[in-house]
């Protein structure tokens, strides 16, 4: 079960990542939007870090099933258990996705094309650091493509093989035939989460103004 702030985070992050990829490929004046979307991505990741510590049960990092043996068993299809939150393989995907995006967006802050565009913090470091950050930023895009591809492939595989739709729960909150009354998604929780998300968004907007 996914609470409303987590769902808003998920789809907003997806939009920012796709937008950042598209604007980077187009280039030109669109690169300004690439920078804005990168900062927005960092703001979203900062929210998710906090929400993963104080949010509802299944939004918390403590709910991720990351025990190696459990993850391996899930990949091998030895477990028929349906999970209210993330499955073991899904938990691993969350860590990989958030980690790669955090490194990529942070590297972008210090990157430069040596012509007309540089990250908002590039002026704080030396040339060697800028070159390293730029190299990392360029190389990690391919890792992100792979991670996104695997994520989409997993969604299709779950639908075709396990007959489980993973998209619908991220829209409506609930997985079919599974209920979790102890997974708090009250209006108070929603309001607190959305206010926190708005605060991080406002901070990003203030920084970019």
């Amino acid at each position: 079960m996914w609470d409303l702030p987590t769902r808003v985070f998920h789809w907003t992050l997806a939009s920012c990542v796709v937008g950042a990829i598209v604007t980077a490929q187009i280039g030109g004046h669109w690169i300004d939007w690439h920078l804005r979307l990168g900062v927005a991505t960092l703001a979203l990741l900062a929210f998710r870090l906090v929400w993963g510590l104080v949010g509802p049960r299944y939004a918390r990092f403590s709910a991720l099933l990351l025990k190696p043996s459990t993850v391996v068993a899930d990949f091998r299809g030895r477990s028929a258990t349906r999970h209210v939150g993330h499955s073991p393989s899904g938990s691993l995907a969350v860590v990989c996705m958030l980690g790669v995006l955090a490194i990529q967006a942070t590297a972008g802050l210090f990157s430069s094309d040596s012509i007309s565009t540089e990250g908002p913090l590039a002026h704080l470091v030396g040339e060697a650091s800028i070159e390293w950050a730029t190299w990392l930023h360029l190389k990690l895009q391919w890792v992100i493509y792979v991670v996104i591809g695997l994520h989409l492939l997993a969604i299709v595989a779950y639908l075709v093989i396990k007959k489980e739709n993973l998209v619908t729960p991220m829209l409506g909150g609930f997985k079919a035939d599974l209920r979790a009354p102890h997974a708090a998604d009250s209006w108070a929780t929603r309001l607190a989460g959305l206010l926190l998300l708005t605060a991080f968004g406002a901070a990003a907007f203030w920084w970019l103004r």
Side-chain angles (χ1 to χ4, degrees):
M1 181 214 172
W2 309 119
D3 57 272
L4 181 61
T6 297
R7 284 178 274 147
V8 172
F9 158 80
H10 178 276
W11 293 112
T12 307
L13 180 66
S15 299
C16 285
V17 171
V18 171
I21 291 173
V22 171
T23 52
Q25 297 305 317
I26 296 175
H29 294 301
W30 285 98
I31 206 67
D32 291 336
W33 278 103
H34 178 74
L35 295 174
R36 294 181 184 118
L37 290 167
V39 173
T41 296
L42 277 176
L44 287 167
L45 293 174
F47 159 79
R48 189 62 182 91
L49 177 61
V50 175
W51 201 238
L53 299 174
V54 303
R57 175 174 177 176
Y58 296 107
R60 296 193 179 194
F61 297 130
S62 59
L64 297 178
L65 305 173
L66 293 170
K67 186 178 178 180
S69 59
T70 304
V71 174
V72 171
D74 191 46
F75 272 116
R76 291 178 176 176
R78 292 179 179 176
S79 175
T81 303
R82 292 187 65 207
H83 301 275
V84 178
H86 284 293
S87 66
S89 55
S91 297
L92 180 61
V94 167
V95 173
C96 291
M97 181 73 79
L98 297 183
V100 170
L101 289 177
I103 296 173
Q104 174 72 334
T106 301
L109 296 177
F110 302 93
S111 298
S112 172
D113 64 0
S114 300
I115 302 175
S116 60
T117 304
E118 66 178 24
L121 298 183
H123 65 283
L124 298 178
V125 298
E127 190 63 32
S129 296
I130 291 176
E131 290 180 0
W132 183 82
T134 303
W135 175 86
L136 182 62
H137 193 66
L138 292 173
K139 296 300 181 182
L140 275 182
Q141 67 175 312
W142 302 106
V143 178
I144 291 176
Y145 296 156
V146 171
V147 172
I148 291 175
L150 290 175
H151 181 58
L152 296 176
L153 183 62
I155 291 174
V156 174
Y158 263 76
L159 183 61
V160 174
I161 300 174
K162 294 189 175 184
K163 310 301 180 184
E164 183 174 351
N165 191 324
L166 298 181
V167 176
T168 301
M170 195 53 74
L171 291 170
F174 288 99
K175 292 185 177 181
D177 303 320
L178 287 177
R179 291 293 182 268
H182 52 291
D185 189 29
S186 63
W187 283 107
T189 299
R190 293 179 177 185
L191 180 60
L194 293 177
L195 285 175
L196 182 63
L197 184 57
T198 301
F200 279 107
F205 177 79
W206 178 85
W207 190 22
L208 290 170
R209 66 189 174 85

